[in-house]
């Protein structure tokens, strides 16, 4: 039976960072030192507990956010290890939505990297209190204070330094705790499990005292008691400083900064102490607000087990073919066998299992309360971003924002057996991943898979083969062009044949003329019903319009053309609907061929978000892609370039933009119109 934990002793935290800053390594050490795992798994060996997918182990990166639970100092800590690659930003977005606190991990060598900015902004968007852990201080080129400066400059953060490293690079040995004014040393033989405090070495004491003074000054700005003691030059004890920093952190005013080297097993236990000390419990953050699905009234969901249930599904996984939903409980309790209500779908759901998650391992529990993050089994229809509550207390929580995909590939099954499986497999991926889109292109017959980037789509196609044994060929989707004409033209065609013993006669003259771009197609009849019965006029229209489905130039659909029925030669006894349809189709094709046909290509509206330093390179690249710049605006510390660019020139743009902007540029794209190529 799972022991009961008080709500104020729960911490729901996420570990966020740029790819390769050491998030997963930090998480592995946390699990080892809290006793959750009995062996340290290394990312570079493909043995990290949290990177359990084969693709994650092979590539040495986190692809899917993994949930685990551990205990430290009587606190239950739910940890979500999030991906650092921009293609998997949705994993960070939906994790941020349900977390109460976050730890930003920064490499002391690279500092604040591009994806660090993105995930930091996501945490800001949801008002998540944050701490920073500056990692990799043992690496050559490590610069602790330089990284802190970059946090201020790039993230507009307000860091407060709580620790200083003793040495950097090859000389890194210990950490100085500026609150207790002690030097912390780790025993390497115990893999960092044993550590002890000693007096600060003489050569570092002066620097430590200088930074402690700065720490107290910063804390005093946010706490009247500390300010009073500081101005009176009274000694300020540690609990008072800790309390001041905690309050300012929860109010998003300060970012406590700690340091270490996760790979060398240094700095993790003080980080765990800081999680408990500074990051909020569910009762410390403002209660989440929802709305009543019928009346629209605002409902506050208090973090109490005694309140009505309000829980949010933030992720759905298909593991071994079974649907596993990850849920954050904001108020109330959930128990196995309970009937839940999904107000978005107006459907009832039944809980069959509740699972305490540890990456891809799990432990069954009967009941969970407020603040818990768990996996649940039994939900049939509910999906990411939907609310679970009870039918007598319905509440609708705000949905998770879903990003629009920016890149597509065409997939086709390799064998007939794969053809039968592909739809089912893609349906499972769509359930898991809201940023994935699948559509059938009616013009080319291809299955088009759209996602957040080339790596994202590469992982999906790899998983199709590994997990579902479905082999596909992957290629660039064909760009579907349109055809139109430059000039007016006219053609007459006689159709006079005997078919199945009956003579079919039709003689039609049609003229075609170009229309303004985006007008579509239209048919006008210059023949009155006195000259030709309406049934035959309809047959002529049908033949002419059908001929537009395949143009004279390359067989693409024809648009922006006006067809006029200009003349007819009618014989009562011989003329038939079929003859007029065929004759009109032939006349229209002939007229289009004479009217200087040309191709129209799809033009996309592109919006590029880019730091000012890279503006010239990005604009130059868009111009090279035949893009036309519409406007350049300033927004949230970035420049926003709006342009229209031919779709055919946008393949691979995601990768080009990242290389041109050191990974800091992002873009969105949508169809605008067809225009001359």
């Amino acid at each position: 039976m799972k022991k009961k934990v008080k709500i104020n002793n729960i911490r729901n935290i996420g570990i966020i960072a740029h790819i390769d800053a050491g998030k997963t390594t930090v998480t592995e050490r946390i699990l080892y030192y809290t006793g959750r795992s009995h062996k340290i798994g290394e990312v570079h060996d493909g043995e990290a507990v949290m990177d359990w997918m084969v693709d994650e182990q092979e590539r040495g990166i986190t692809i899917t956010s993994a949930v685990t639970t551990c205990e430290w100092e009587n606190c239950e800590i739910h940890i979500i290890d999030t991906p650092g690659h921009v293609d998997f930003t949705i994993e960070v977005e939906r994790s941020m939505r349900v977390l109460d606190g976050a730890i930003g991990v920064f490499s002391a060598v690279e500092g604040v990297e591009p994806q660090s900015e993105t995930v930091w902004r996501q945490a800001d968007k949801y008002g998540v209190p944050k701490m920073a852990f500056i990692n990799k201080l043992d690496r050559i080129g490590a610069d602790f204070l330089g990284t802190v400066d970059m946090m201020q400059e790039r993230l507009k953060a307000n860091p407060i330094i709580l620790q200083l490293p003793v040495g950097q690079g090859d000389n890194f040995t210990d950490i100085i705790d500026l609150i207790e004014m002690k030097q912390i040393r780790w025993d390497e033989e115990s893999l960092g499990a044993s550590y002890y405090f000693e007096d600060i070495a003489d050569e570092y004491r002066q620097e430590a005292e200088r930074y402690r003074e700065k720490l107290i000054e910063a804390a005093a700005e946010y706490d009247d008691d500390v300010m009073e003691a500081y101005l009176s030059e009274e000694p300020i004890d540690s609990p008072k400083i800790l309390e001041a920093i905690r309050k300012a952190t929860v109010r998003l005013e300060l970012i406590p900064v700690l340091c270490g080297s996760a790979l060398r097993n240094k700095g993790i236990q003080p980080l765990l102490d800081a999680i408990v000390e500074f990051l909020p419990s569910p009762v410390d953050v403002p209660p989440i607000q929802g709305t009543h699905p019928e009346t629209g009234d605002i409902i506050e969901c208090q973090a109490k087990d005694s309140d009505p249930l309000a829980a949010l599904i933030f992720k759905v996984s298909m593991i071994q073919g079974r649907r596993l939903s990850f849920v954050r409980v904001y108020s109330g309790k959930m128990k196995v066998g309970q009937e839940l209500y999904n107000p978005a779908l107006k459907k009832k759901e039944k809980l069959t299992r509740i699972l305490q998650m540890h990456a891809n391992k799990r432990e069954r529990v009967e009941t969970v309360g407020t603040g818990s993050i768990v996996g649940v089994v039994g939900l049939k229809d509910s999906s990411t971003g939907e609310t679970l509550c009870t039918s007598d207390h319905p509440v609708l929580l705000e949905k998770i924002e879903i990003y629009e995909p920016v890149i597509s590939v065409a997939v086709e099954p390799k064998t007939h057996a794969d053809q039968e499986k592909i739809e089912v497999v893609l349906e499972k991926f769509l359930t898991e991943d809201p940023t994935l889109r699948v559509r059938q292109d009616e013009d080319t017959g291809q299955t088009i898979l759209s996602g957040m980037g080339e790596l994202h789509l590469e992982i999906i196609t790899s998983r199709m083969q590994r997990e579902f044994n479905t082999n596909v060929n992957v290629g660039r989707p064909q760009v579907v062009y349109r055809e139109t004409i430059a000039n007016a033209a006219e053609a007459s065609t006689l159709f006079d044949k005997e078919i199945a013993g009956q003579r079919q006669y039709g003689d039609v003259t049609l003229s075609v003329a170009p229309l303004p771009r985006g007008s579509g197609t239209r048919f006008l009849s210059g023949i009155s019903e006195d000259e030709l019965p309406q049934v035959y006029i309809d047959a002529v229209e049908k033949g002419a319009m059908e001929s537009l489905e395949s143009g004279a130039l390359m067989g693409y659909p024809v648009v922006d053309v006006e067809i006029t029925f200009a003349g007819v030669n009618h014989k009562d006894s011989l003329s038939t609907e079929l003859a007029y349809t065929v004759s009109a189709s032939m006349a229209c094709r002939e007229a289009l061929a004479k009217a200087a046909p040309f191709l129209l290509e799809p033009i996309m509206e592109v919006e590029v978000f880019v730091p000012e330093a890279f503006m010239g390179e990005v604009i130059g690249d868009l111009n090279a892609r035949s893009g036309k710049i519409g406007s350049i605006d300033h927004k949230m510390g970035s420049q926003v370039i709006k342009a229209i660019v031919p779709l055919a020139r946008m393949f691979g743009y995601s990768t080009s933009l990242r290389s041109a902007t050191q990974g800091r540029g992002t873009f969105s794209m949508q169809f605008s119109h067809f225009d001359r190529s």
Side-chain angles (χ1 to χ4, degrees):
M1 183 76 182
K2 183 175 179 286
K3 70 175 183 180
K4 171 74 177 159
V5 178
K6 289 182 180 176
I7 298 172
N8 57 3
N9 284 342
I10 292 174
R11 300 289 182 274
N12 289 315
I13 64 161
I15 299 191
I16 59 173
H18 187 91
I19 192 168
D20 209 28
K23 296 180 308 304
T24 303
T25 307
V26 168
T27 312
E28 293 298 318
R29 269 50 180 186
I30 287 174
L31 297 180
Y32 180 69
Y33 298 134
T34 57
R36 195 67 180 83
S37 60
H38 304 291
K39 175 177 176 284
I40 295 178
E42 299 293 9
V43 175
H44 53 264
D45 294 333
E47 292 180 357
V49 173
M50 301 300 276
D51 287 352
W52 55 271
M53 285 171 62
V54 177
D55 281 299
E56 293 179 311
Q57 291 166 355
E58 279 187 2
R59 289 173 164 86
I61 62 169
T62 303
I63 290 166
T64 180
S65 49
V67 180
T68 191
T69 304
C70 58
E71 289 184 15
W72 186 259
E73 301 291 342
N74 296 319
C75 271
E76 183 174 278
I77 304 173
H78 302 279
I79 302 171
I80 300 183
D81 176 29
T82 63
H85 196 286
V86 67
D87 283 13
F88 309 105
T89 301
I90 184 63
E91 292 287 334
V92 185
E93 181 84 17
R94 54 190 179 184
S95 301
M96 286 297 106
R97 174 70 174 77
V98 297
L99 293 174
D100 299 324
I103 301 166
V105 178
F106 302 96
S107 163
V109 181
E110 287 84 8
V112 178
E113 296 175 274
Q115 186 63 5
S116 308
E117 292 182 58
T118 305
V119 296
W120 198 267
R121 280 201 298 268
Q122 286 172 304
D124 284 341
K125 180 166 115 182
Y126 291 112
V128 177
K130 296 172 288 297
M131 286 169 29
F133 180 74
I134 297 178
N135 191 26
K136 301 192 177 184
L137 281 163
D138 59 312
R139 292 260 302 273
I140 294 167
D143 184 355
F144 173 74
L145 294 175
T147 305
V148 175
D149 290 342
M150 283 180 80
M151 285 178 62
Q152 289 176 294
E153 180 195 328
R154 287 197 176 179
L155 305 176
K156 305 294 183 273
N158 190 10
I160 179 168
I161 296 172
L162 306 187
Q163 297 175 346
L164 286 176
V166 174
Q168 294 187 82
D170 290 341
N171 303 319
F172 173 65
T173 54
D174 305 335
I175 287 169
I176 294 169
D177 181 334
L178 295 175
I179 294 176
E180 299 297 338
M181 285 301 279
K182 291 286 182 184
Q183 190 163 325
I184 312 172
R185 181 160 287 179
W186 278 265
D187 172 26
E188 296 192 11
E189 285 185 17
S190 68
L191 292 176
S194 301
Y195 61 104
Y196 49 92
F197 294 83
E198 58 185 29
D199 290 337
I200 298 169
D202 290 342
E203 64 262 41
Y204 298 110
R205 178 161 287 280
Q206 195 174 348
E207 186 185 23
E209 284 173 351
R210 187 159 56 88
Y211 275 95
R212 179 181 164 84
E213 186 73 13
K214 287 184 176 183
L215 185 157
I216 292 170
E217 273 180 34
E221 282 186 43
Y222 300 97
D223 188 280
D224 292 341
D225 292 343
V226 176
M227 176 64 83
E228 200 174 306
Y230 177 67
L231 293 173
S232 310
E233 297 186 356
E234 295 171 13
I236 304 168
D237 58 5
S238 299
K240 201 172 272 188
I241 298 171
L242 291 171
E243 182 61 26
I245 295 170
R246 175 184 173 77
K247 284 178 181 172
T249 303
V250 171
R251 292 195 304 257
L252 310 177
E253 293 167 340
L254 284 177
I255 309 290
V257 178
L258 295 92
C259 61
S261 167
L263 194 63
R264 298 282 168 261
N265 310 314
K266 294 178 180 180
I268 301 302
Q269 294 93 337
L271 176 63
L272 281 161
D273 290 337
I275 289 169
V276 171
E277 190 66 55
F278 302 123
L279 291 181
S281 73
V283 294
D284 295 322
V285 294
I288 193 164
Q289 291 190 335
T291 54
H292 193 286
E294 305 299 331
T295 63
D297 294 341
I298 300 293
I299 299 172
E300 273 200 350
C301 304
Q302 301 289 339
K304 294 178 184 173
D305 284 352
S306 55
D307 269 29
L309 175 69
L312 185 77
I313 302 167
F314 67 95
K315 179 174 172 172
V316 175
S317 278
M318 302 298 288
I319 298 176
Q320 295 166 348
R322 300 195 68 180
R323 189 187 187 104
L324 176 66
S325 304
F326 290 83
V327 173
R328 159 76 196 258
V329 183
Y330 283 102
S331 70
K333 285 183 172 180
M334 278 197 317
K335 59 184 178 188
V336 172
Q338 183 179 3
E339 189 176 76
L340 303 176
Y341 180 62
N342 180 331
L345 302 179
K346 298 186 177 175
K347 282 188 176 180
K348 291 183 177 177
E349 297 271 24
K350 188 92 175 248
L351 272 188
T352 56
R353 283 186 195 176
I354 301 176
L355 305 166
Q356 192 83 63
M357 302 304 296
H358 179 47
N360 64 331
K361 298 181 178 68
R362 54 203 76 120
E363 178 189 328
R364 291 176 73 161
V365 292
E366 292 300 308
T367 309
V368 289
T370 298
S372 299
I373 293 179
V374 290
V376 300
V377 178
L379 307 182
K380 290 181 180 174
D381 301 305
S382 301
S383 60
T384 300
E386 290 176 354
T387 308
L388 297 174
C389 54
T390 54
S391 50
D392 50 344
H393 290 95
V395 62
L396 203 52
L397 301 177
E398 186 187 348
K399 292 199 77 157
I400 295 168
E401 185 180 322
I402 303 301
Y403 293 85
E404 285 302 311
V406 296
I407 194 165
S408 305
V409 292
V411 293
E412 55 183 37
K414 285 189 176 176
T415 66
H416 183 66
D418 295 325
Q419 172 74 54
E420 291 172 355
K421 286 191 283 185
I422 192 167
E423 282 185 28
V424 178
V425 171
L426 288 174
E427 190 64 41
K428 288 180 177 175
F429 284 126
L430 289 171
T431 302
E432 272 193 13
D433 189 345
T435 59
L436 198 64
R437 302 276 193 281
V438 176
R439 66 180 174 84
Q440 289 294 128
D441 192 309
E442 292 175 13
D443 296 293
T444 64
Q446 291 175 307
T447 299
I448 306 294
L449 200 58
S450 304
M452 296 303 294
E454 279 145 307
L455 179 63
H456 183 203
L457 296 176
E458 191 184 312
I459 297 290
I460 293 292
T461 49
S462 167
R463 287 183 63 198
M464 286 173 81
Q465 211 234 309
R466 285 184 197 281
E467 295 175 29
F468 300 98
N469 201 23
T470 306
N471 296 302
V472 291
N473 292 317
V474 180
R476 276 189 6 178
Q478 294 175 21
V479 176
V480 181
Y481 293 88
R482 295 287 185 265
E483 293 185 21
T484 191
I485 54 175
N487 303 327
E490 188 175 280
S492 299
T493 306
L494 168 66
F495 181 81
D496 187 1
K497 281 191 180 173
E498 192 171 297
I499 300 172
Q502 183 183 352
R503 191 174 166 199
Q504 311 272 353
Y505 179 90
D507 186 0
V508 171
T509 301
L510 294 180
S511 65
V512 294
L515 288 175
R517 205 62 62 240
S519 303
T521 54
R522 60 176 179 247
F523 177 85
L524 302 175
S525 175
I527 306 297
S528 68
E529 285 189 47
D530 295 338
E531 294 175 77
L532 190 71
Q534 185 63 42
V535 67
Y536 295 134
I537 295 174
D538 292 343
V540 169
E541 181 176 357
K542 181 187 174 197
M545 297 308 278
E546 281 178 357
S547 72
L548 297 180
E549 290 171 12
S550 176
L553 199 60
M554 292 179 69
Y556 289 111
V558 180
V559 295
D560 302 339
V561 168
E562 181 179 85
I563 306 166
T564 305
F565 184 9
V568 65
N569 186 1
H570 179 61
K571 294 185 179 178
D572 277 335
S573 57
L574 301 176
S575 295
T576 62
E577 287 180 57
L578 174 63
Y580 278 122
T581 300
V582 175
S583 178
S585 179
M586 291 164 63
C588 192
R589 284 175 192 277
E590 192 180 322
L592 290 171
K594 290 179 185 176
F598 62 90
L599 283 182
L600 294 173
E601 63 180 330
I603 306 294
M604 312 302 284
E605 278 181 17
V606 180
E607 201 169 57
V608 188
F609 292 80
V610 59
E612 196 157 352
F614 306 105
M615 285 275 289
E617 205 165 337
V618 171
I619 290 172
D621 184 40
L622 288 171
N623 287 333
R625 293 171 187 271
S626 305
K628 292 176 184 169
I629 309 297
S631 66
I632 300 171
D633 303 309
H634 186 75
K635 186 178 178 185
M636 286 178 66
S638 292
Q639 297 295 327
V640 184
I641 304 168
K642 292 184 179 175
I644 54 169
V645 191
L647 173 62
R649 306 298 297 273
M650 287 301 289
F651 291 114
Y653 184 64
S654 185
T655 309
S656 299
L657 180 65
R658 283 177 204 163
S659 18
T661 62
Q662 298 173 8
R664 295 171 68 190
T666 58
F667 80 104
S668 64
M669 178 171 78
Q670 62 184 36
F671 174 76
S672 171
H673 62 282
F674 282 96
D675 210 341
R676 190 162 196 161
S677 53

